[in-house]
Amino acid sequence: MRILSGIQPSGKLHIGNYLGMIKSMVEYQEKDELFCFIANMHGLTTLFDGSQMRENINEALIGLLALGIDTEKSILWVQSDIAEVAELTWYLGTVTPMGLLQRCHSYKDKVARNIPASSGLFTYPVLMAADILLYSSNIIPVGQDQKQHVEVTRDIAIKFNAVYGDILTIPEAEIQEEIAVIPGTDGQKMSKSYNNTIEIFAPEKELRRKIMSIVTDSASVEEPKDPDANNVFLLYKLFASLEDTDAMAEKFRRGGYGYGEAKKELFNLLMDYFGPYRKKREEIVADPSYVEEVRKKGAEKARNIASELIGKVRKAIGMI
Ligand code: ADP
Ligand code: TRP
């Protein structure tokens, strides 16, 4: 099985990215072929600052390596290093009905949030389809918000195959149902664009501040509370053992247990959980030539696979 997913270099990695996507990717690489890339061309639809872009790409590479993406077992690359993806985007665009793209929520949501309504933003799902189809991927682990884009990819691939023959592999999205949407510090979906993220590699002080800022209701310490109705517990549950989760739920139900105390427990848990990854990141940061080498080798491996598929496509559509 070939598993593929990408992440935009639009900011610092947060625990929504980790649980929604990175964690399952790391598990996949043990038994499947894992393809993991930094979607910097997608990133261009919202980030218009070259030096910031460069820094974010590097930060994303370092973060993925620190969190366990192993380049011996999987392929890790930067999207734009394989120019064939832009070429395939054009070919796919010519068989993509406008209506398919007009139905995409993500475009409408982004425009509503004042992101410039460029044609790049509109055709974003076609580039995503090219990412997936160029590497003949079978399974796409993503958060709920990306599900529609994988469905669009399937529709485009089916259409292309109907016109030109059975060339593209039809992929399937894989959504982690139980953690489909990780809440941010304000209770909305955790997202860089909402400024409500808990960053995995934030300095300790900053991480503590973020966790202490999680919004809760104003129930007093004494009052019994419904654990499932508060964000601190919801986040704790995602990382804690069953035993510790039950213990915290019980304390909330009994009363005499305040949100402040629960936040401290959440902070300690996250420091423990991500401690080894934070240490690994420091080691990687200290060796920039290693990251450069990873990027170069990843591009070579990805290019080998991409050139085979693009060759078949060019032939089928009569470009060569
Ligand atoms: P952001 O919304 O912060 O910009 P991205 O869109 O770059 O995050 O998402 C990268 C990956 O992480 C995608 O697979 C996405 O579905 C997943 N992801 C992001 N935020 C969450 C969340 N709050 N809950 C679950 N998965 C998420
Ligand atoms: N659009 C995805 C996001 O914002 C990132 C992405 C780009 C992607 N290409 C992909 C994810 C291909 C999975 C497969 O999160």
Side-chain angles (χ1 to χ4, degrees):
M1 273 303 182
R2 196 168 278 179
I3 320 295
L4 173 140
S5 199
I7 183 157
Q8 291 195 55
S10 43
K12 306 263 160 61
L13 295 178
H14 56 74
I15 63 178
N17 300 141
Y18 178 72
L19 294 172
M21 174 219 180
I22 302 168
K23 188 164 177 260
S24 63
M25 304 269 276
V26 171
E27 287 162 6
Y28 266 126
Q29 71 185 349
E30 296 309 322
K31 48 181 182 8
D32 292 282
E33 275 186 288
L34 176 68
F35 285 60
C36 177
F37 67 97
I38 315 290
N40 58 340
M41 291 161 76
H42 282 103
L44 272 180
T45 57
T46 50
L47 177 61
F48 306 96
D49 175 334
S51 59
Q52 186 67 49
M53 174 63 88
R54 200 168 293 115
E55 192 182 315
N56 287 1
I57 294 169
N58 210 38
E59 186 60 41
L61 273 176
I62 293 170
L64 290 172
L65 290 167
L67 289 167
I69 298 293
D70 179 345
T71 54
E72 297 293 319
K73 297 178 183 152
S74 59
I75 306 187
L76 172 64
W77 78 101
V78 176
Q79 185 183 32
S80 65
D81 287 350
I82 311 302
E84 285 86 344
V85 80
E87 183 183 346
L88 184 59
T89 300
W90 181 259
Y91 300 155
L92 296 177
T94 60
V95 296
T96 303
M98 282 294 284
L100 194 60
L101 301 181
Q102 275 158 346
R103 282 197 292 277
C104 288
H105 309 300
S106 158
Y107 175 77
K108 291 179 233 170
D109 293 350
K110 286 178 178 168
V111 172
R113 294 200 326 254
N114 292 326
I115 289 171
S118 64
S119 69
L121 189 69
F122 184 69
T123 54
Y124 177 117
V126 187
L127 175 58
M128 184 154 160
D131 289 327
I132 295 171
L133 302 171
L134 186 57
Y135 301 97
S136 307
S137 322
N138 304 110
I139 303 213
I140 318 299
V142 281
Q144 184 72 41
D145 57 326
Q146 297 297 322
K147 189 175 174 207
Q148 191 182 33
H149 290 155
V150 181
E151 278 157 11
V152 167
T153 301
R154 289 171 58 90
D155 288 348
I156 295 176
I158 290 168
K159 180 87 190 288
F160 184 95
N161 284 351
V163 179
Y164 293 112
D166 216 5
I167 294 172
L168 304 175
T169 302
I170 313 298
E172 238 169 86
E174 188 194 68
I175 316 286
Q176 319 281 324
E177 291 299 346
E178 73 281 15
I179 47 166
V181 181
I182 312 296
T185 52
D186 58 359
Q188 288 190 81
K189 173 197 163 204
M190 184 177 293
S191 171
K192 281 160 289 204
S193 19
Y194 300 151
N195 211 0
N196 63 358
T197 60
I198 298 175
E199 290 170 10
I200 300 169
F201 299 114
E204 191 170 335
K205 245 172 117 179
E206 166 69 18
L207 191 65
R208 187 191 307 269
R209 193 189 61 75
K210 261 295 168 75
I211 289 169
M212 296 320 275
S213 78
I214 294 173
V215 176
T216 57
D217 61 27
S218 53
S220 67
V221 173
E222 295 73 38
E223 279 175 65
K225 303 169 187 66
D226 175 7
D228 290 313
N230 83 72
N231 256 333
V232 186
F233 179 74
L234 292 181
L235 289 168
Y236 185 83
K237 198 166 135 181
L238 292 166
F239 292 94
S241 66
L242 217 55
E243 230 182 335
D244 290 347
T245 304
D246 287 347
M248 186 184 273
E250 181 50 33
K251 284 190 269 185
F252 271 125
R253 285 196 201 97
R254 212 170 41 211
Y257 180 68
Y259 292 121
E261 213 173 315
K263 287 177 184 177
K264 274 187 210 146
E265 286 189 48
L266 174 62
F267 170 75
N268 290 335
L269 177 66
L270 291 179
M271 284 303 285
D272 280 351
Y273 189 96
F274 288 109
Y277 302 122
R278 293 165 65 92
K279 193 160 160 278
K280 178 92 186 286
R281 180 179 174 279
E282 292 308 313
E283 290 166 18
I284 298 171
V285 167
D287 186 1
S289 63
Y290 168 68
V291 182
E292 231 170 85
E293 194 56 24
V294 162
R295 179 167 176 175
K296 211 172 103 205
K297 287 222 174 103
E300 275 166 25
K301 288 199 225 166
R303 192 171 300 114
N304 276 339
I305 312 251
S307 52
E308 206 179 306
L309 192 277
I310 202 79
K312 282 190 206 157
V313 169
R314 285 178 192 144
K315 207 165 151 200
I317 63 179
M319 293 292 108
I320 50 172

